[in-house]
Amino acid sequence: MAPGERSEEVHLWYTAVYEAIPSGKVTSYGHIARLLGKPERPRQVGVCLKHLPSASTDRSKKSSTFHSGNVPWQRVINSKGGISPRGPSAASHQADALRREGVDIREDAMGQYTVDLAKYGWFPDVLPSEAGLVESSDEEDEEVAAYHT
DNA sequence: GAACTGACTGGGT
DNA sequence: AACCCAGCCAGTT
């Protein structure tokens, strides 16, 4: 393959992941991967979110058009309904963002956050962009945008 | 530039 | 129910 081809693929993957996060409710890393036709890559979805720039980062020059202010990163959790611990305050931050959207989060004695997937999970079988945007979720998205502003 | 590290998951013990 | 494991592959030592 030609030089640079690989990184181009990677860039497309990152973009696809950010655009695949559904409007409304909560979904999983694995489901995003399946929506993108790569069911074996849930970990790579996690990598994309890990590298999502924060909304406050200075991106006055080129850099990504995607950041925590316009990508609903908080809606992605693991298949068991848990928020990945990763850093010390990261999980609680995500839990706060979800509660802001009306999602009820439970915190156990171990400090692990979990979501009731039966109630809040949302696993569409087609990409949001292919399905047409869900009107009923517009105001939820506005709340998110306001939160990050 | 080889080795190691994960924002994961499903299947097997 | 809890742990283990292989597969995944871009980033980071």
Side-chain angles (χ1 to χ4, degrees):
Chain A
M1 64 179 91
E5 185 177 337
R6 189 70 167 178
S7 61
E8 174 66 8
E9 274 183 51
V10 172
H11 179 260
L12 289 175
W13 169 257
Y14 272 61
T15 299
V17 168
Y18 295 145
E19 293 182 339
I21 300 176
S23 295
K25 305 219 173 179
V26 173
T27 193
S28 73
Y29 299 92
H31 191 72
I32 296 289
R34 290 196 294 273
L35 284 176
L36 299 181
K38 304 290 182 184
E40 307 305 315
R41 302 187 185 179
R43 300 189 70 154
Q44 297 15 266
V45 172
V47 169
C48 294
L49 294 178
K50 178 180 182 178
H51 289 284
L52 180 66
S54 71
S56 57
T57 299
D58 175 34
R59 68 184 69 72
S60 55
K61 309 227 166 159
K62 74 165 202 172
S63 81
S64 175
T65 57
F66 297 102
H67 53 84
S68 61
N70 60 16
V71 174
W73 55 271
Q74 71 279 11
R75 294 177 189 156
V76 187
I77 62 179
N78 70 35
S79 66
K80 297 178 179 61
I83 295 176
S84 290
R86 55 215 202 255
S89 61
S92 62
H93 179 211
Q94 182 168 2
D96 287 344
L98 285 174
R99 289 189 177 116
R100 180 98 174 93
E101 304 188 318
V103 177
D104 184 43
I105 313 291
R106 297 184 308 184
E107 180 179 6
D108 66 21
M110 307 281 283
Q112 300 281 307
Y113 296 93
T114 57
V115 177
D116 181 356
L117 286 184
K119 185 174 182 180
Y120 299 103
W122 200 56
F123 305 95
D125 57 0
V126 293
L127 289 173
S129 59
E130 296 172 342
L133 298 184
V134 182
E135 293 177 39
S136 62
S137 67
D138 286 353
E139 51 186 71
E140 293 174 35
D141 288 335
E142 287 173 17
E143 290 177 18
V144 175
Y147 176 74
H148 287 293
T149 300

